[in-house]
């Protein structure tokens, strides 16, 4: 065991076996680049944990955060208030595409999902207590707390006992795979399932991601979100969108629901909020809905660090930076060009099942997880750090990529695929 492995042996590693020390150890990051302990530099096509949307080490965000830490780091929101939380809520209200006018803050994406589900459950307690069931996607991922694991449909992401499985109904793609998942037939198939579920069950809430991130990097078929909204309206069902991954820019819009012209009743978001500087998540909700909750709309929730002044300041600085630099439009442009490059080069290649993308979230799907793993490794050696999830290699770089970095990233991934395929 080398020094790094020995140090890492004290660390409980999420999603990995206790003795699994595989993967690089990173020591520095700047812009779109990471450097590992061996001094190898790679383009970070994982954006940290998919959350460093503007690039690593943005001075204005880091400075604002540090300065707020020195002035007033945090107070307890149940007792008093801090200005940065008000300012952030006001800024978020001005951002298009989420349908909310009040914002509750938590720390992780999982907490935001739990909070959104809690608000929808409180609503149903007040309006019709029979409608506590929830509809989610078979391949959805909503976080790793026990409730979120119960709501998620992916077997590989949850082994804790199911807490509310009996009230969860799952939508699935059925026989549709690869590019077929984007087809109008897949859209009809899913919409029909939802209609049947809402007619046959007591479901009061539909919880979906506009883009199945952990579930394979899959954008829902175009127009499906609008169908889901329409069907929810027909049945008086609440639509909760999990925009933890897509929220704030990733798909080339501030929120992914904008693409389909949809407004959710509740939107949970997190990853793009502080550019990876600190933990923060949020739920956007309409005050009309809040007014219908029991106890005058009191939402009984809160974590020690909820809406910390420093985190809210980091988020405000992130929003300001994104607006000033046009990061959302940049993401759309870079994503479109990368998808074009990867599609042209890899379409029809042996072992490649699909090349797809939604803004700056691109996926190359292979015929096996082994191929995807080899591609990730070879791409790393060439200088591109990608994310492997099962048979899919995902690229979610920050929106600060220069034209040259964009070309390099596409080139490294294409070269890696060709090398791996040639060796098979
Ligand atoms: C769509 C989605 N929902 C929820 C979560 C959970 O967020 P967190 O890991 O911050 O708890 C994630 C995390 O990847 C996610 O991608």
């Amino acid at each position: 065991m080398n020094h790094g492995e020995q140090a890492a042996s004290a660390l409980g590693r999420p999603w990995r076996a206790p003795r699994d020390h595989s993967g690089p150890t990173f020591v520095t990051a700047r812009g779109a680049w990471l450097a590992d302990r061996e001094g190898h530099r790679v383009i970070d096509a994982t954006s940290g944990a998919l959350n460093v949307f503007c690039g690593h080490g943005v001075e204005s965000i880091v400075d604002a955060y540090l300065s707020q830490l020195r002035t007033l780091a945090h107070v307890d929101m149940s007792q008093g208030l801090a200005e940065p939380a008000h300012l952030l809520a006001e800024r978020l209200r001005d951002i298009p595409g989420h349908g909310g006018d009040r914002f509750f803050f938590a720390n992780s994406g999982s907490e935001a999902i739990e909070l959104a589900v809690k608000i929808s459950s409180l609503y149903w307690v007040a309006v019709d207590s029979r409608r506590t069931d929830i509809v989610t996607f078979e391949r959805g991922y909503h976080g790793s707390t026990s409730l979120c694991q119960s709501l998620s449909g992916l077997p590989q992401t949850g082994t804790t006992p199911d807490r509310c499985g009996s009230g969860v109904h799952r939508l699935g793609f059925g026989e549709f795979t690869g590019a077929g998942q984007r087809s109008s037939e897949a859209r009809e198939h899913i919409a029909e399932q939802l209609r049947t579920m809402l007619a046959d069950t007591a479901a009061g809430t539909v919880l979906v991601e506009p883009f199945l991130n952990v579930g394979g990097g899959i954008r829902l078929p175009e127009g499906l979100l609008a169908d889901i909204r329409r069907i929810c309206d027909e049945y008086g069902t609440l639509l909760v969108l999990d925009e933890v991954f897509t929220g704030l820019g990733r798909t080339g819009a501030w929120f992914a629901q904008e693409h389909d012209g949809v407004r959710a009743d509740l939107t949970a978001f997190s990853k793009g909020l502080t550019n990876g500087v600190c933990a923060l998540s949020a739920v956007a909700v309409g005050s009309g809905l809040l007014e219908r909750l029991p106890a005058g709309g009191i939402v009984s929730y809160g974590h020690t660090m909820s809406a910390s002044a420093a985190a809210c300041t980091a988020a405000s600085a992130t929003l300001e930076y994104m607006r000033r630099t046009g990061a959302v439009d940049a993401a759309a442009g870079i994503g479109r060009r990368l998808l074009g490059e990867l599609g042209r080069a890899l379409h029809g290649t042996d072992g490649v099942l699909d090349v797809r993308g939604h803004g700056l979230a691109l996926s190359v799907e292979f015929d096996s997880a082994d191929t995807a793993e080899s591609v990730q490794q070879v791409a790393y050696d060439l200088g591109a750090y990608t994310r492997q999830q099962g048979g899919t290699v995902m690229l979610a770089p920050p929106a600060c990529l220069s034209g040259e970095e964009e070309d390099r990233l596409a080139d490294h991934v294409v070269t890696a695929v060709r090398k791996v395929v040639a060796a098979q």
Side-chain angles (χ1 to χ4, degrees):
M1 203 187 275
N2 66 31
H3 173 69
E5 282 171 347
Q6 202 164 348
S9 68
L11 178 70
R13 204 171 168 195
W15 310 112
R16 300 276 181 136
R19 289 177 194 281
D20 182 349
H21 306 301
S22 61
T25 299
F26 294 107
V27 287
T28 59
R30 196 78 189 168
W33 292 85
L34 289 168
D36 69 18
R37 210 172 38 201
E38 278 69 44
H40 181 54
R41 293 180 75 242
V42 287
I43 294 179
D44 180 13
T46 70
S47 292
L50 304 172
N51 55 348
V52 183
F53 179 71
C54 305
H56 294 279
V58 173
E59 300 278 349
S60 61
I61 302 172
V62 175
D63 285 350
Y65 178 61
L66 292 178
S67 163
Q68 184 63 50
L69 276 181
R70 290 191 186 99
T71 316
L72 168 71
H74 186 43
V75 290
D76 182 347
M77 283 260 287
S78 70
Q79 306 295 309
L81 295 165
E83 285 256 289
H86 301 215
L87 292 176
L88 176 59
E90 265 170 38
R91 282 206 160 94
L92 287 170
R93 195 163 50 191
D94 292 342
I95 287 181
H98 49 64
D101 52 17
R102 270 188 194 263
F103 299 86
F104 290 86
F105 295 111
N107 305 292
S108 64
S110 303
E111 286 171 358
I113 294 296
E114 290 221 6
L115 177 53
V117 169
K118 177 178 273 194
I119 294 173
S120 82
S121 302
L122 286 172
Y123 171 86
W124 285 118
V125 165
V127 172
D128 180 351
S129 59
R130 290 164 304 176
R131 297 195 62 185
T132 49
D133 285 10
I134 297 183
V135 175
T136 67
F137 254 90
E138 221 165 70
R139 298 184 52 183
Y141 176 73
H142 301 292
S144 62
T145 58
S146 287
L147 175 68
C148 289
Q149 278 183 336
S150 298
L151 296 171
S152 303
L154 294 167
Q156 72 271 26
T157 61
T159 52
T160 48
D162 212 334
R163 301 280 165 199
C164 64
S166 60
V168 180
H169 310 274
R170 312 258 187 227
L171 296 168
F173 280 93
E175 67 198 25
F176 296 97
T177 57
Q181 291 163 335
R182 293 191 287 285
S183 63
S184 54
E185 289 81 7
R187 170 181 169 182
E188 277 166 33
H189 172 73
I190 295 165
E192 204 39 53
Q193 278 176 71
L194 178 61
R195 215 173 247 115
T196 309
M197 262 174 212
L198 295 189
D200 293 352
T201 71
T205 305
V206 173
L207 167 67
V208 291
E209 298 157 84
F211 180 91
L212 303 173
N213 167 27
V214 181
I218 302 162
R219 179 186 182 171
L220 297 188
E222 224 174 308
L224 177 62
L225 221 46
D227 295 342
I228 292 177
R229 176 73 273 181
R230 213 172 305 116
I231 297 166
C232 282
D233 289 343
E234 272 169 42
Y235 287 87
T237 307
L238 293 181
L239 176 59
V240 179
L241 285 184
D242 178 346
E243 295 234 29
V244 167
F245 169 63
T246 49
L248 299 197
R250 177 57 62 189
T251 64
W254 286 94
F255 288 90
Q257 57 195 289
E258 270 188 274
H259 296 289
D260 284 32
V262 160
R263 294 288 176 271
D265 297 299
L266 294 130
T267 302
F269 57 105
S270 175
K271 284 199 191 278
L273 209 42
T274 67
N275 201 41
V277 163
C278 55
L280 187 68
S281 60
V283 175
V285 52
S287 21
L289 195 154
L290 285 176
E291 276 157 18
R292 304 197 61 184
L293 302 190
I298 294 176
V299 182
S300 49
Y301 97 102
H303 308 277
T304 303
M305 291 300 286
S306 294
S308 105
C312 290
T313 296
S316 285
T318 303
L319 295 179
E320 153 62 23
Y321 181 83
M322 286 172 73
R323 277 197 189 280
R324 183 158 45 82
T325 58
V328 179
D329 288 343
I334 299 168
R336 203 167 33 244
R337 288 189 296 273
L338 276 176
L339 182 61
E341 279 296 307
L342 295 175
R344 267 190 299 281
L346 297 179
H347 217 83
T349 304
D350 276 353
V352 174
L353 299 183
D354 193 23
V355 181
R356 54 180 176 261
H358 191 14
L360 264 190
L362 300 116
S363 306
V364 183
E365 187 180 342
F366 297 93
D367 57 5
S368 80
D370 285 348
T371 305
E373 193 179 339
S374 304
V375 168
Q376 187 201 31
Q377 185 54 56
V378 176
Y380 187 82
D381 295 341
L382 291 167
Y385 185 46
T386 57
R387 247 181 114 81
Q388 181 226 340
Q389 286 166 173
T392 301
V393 168
M394 188 166 163
L395 278 65
C400 66
L401 278 193
S402 67
E404 198 217 324
E405 288 163 342
E406 206 179 295
D407 291 344
R408 268 191 203 224
L409 176 59
D411 189 51
H412 291 334
V413 172
V414 170
T415 307
V417 175
R418 291 196 175 136
K419 279 192 173 183
V420 170
V421 168
Q424 280 175 341

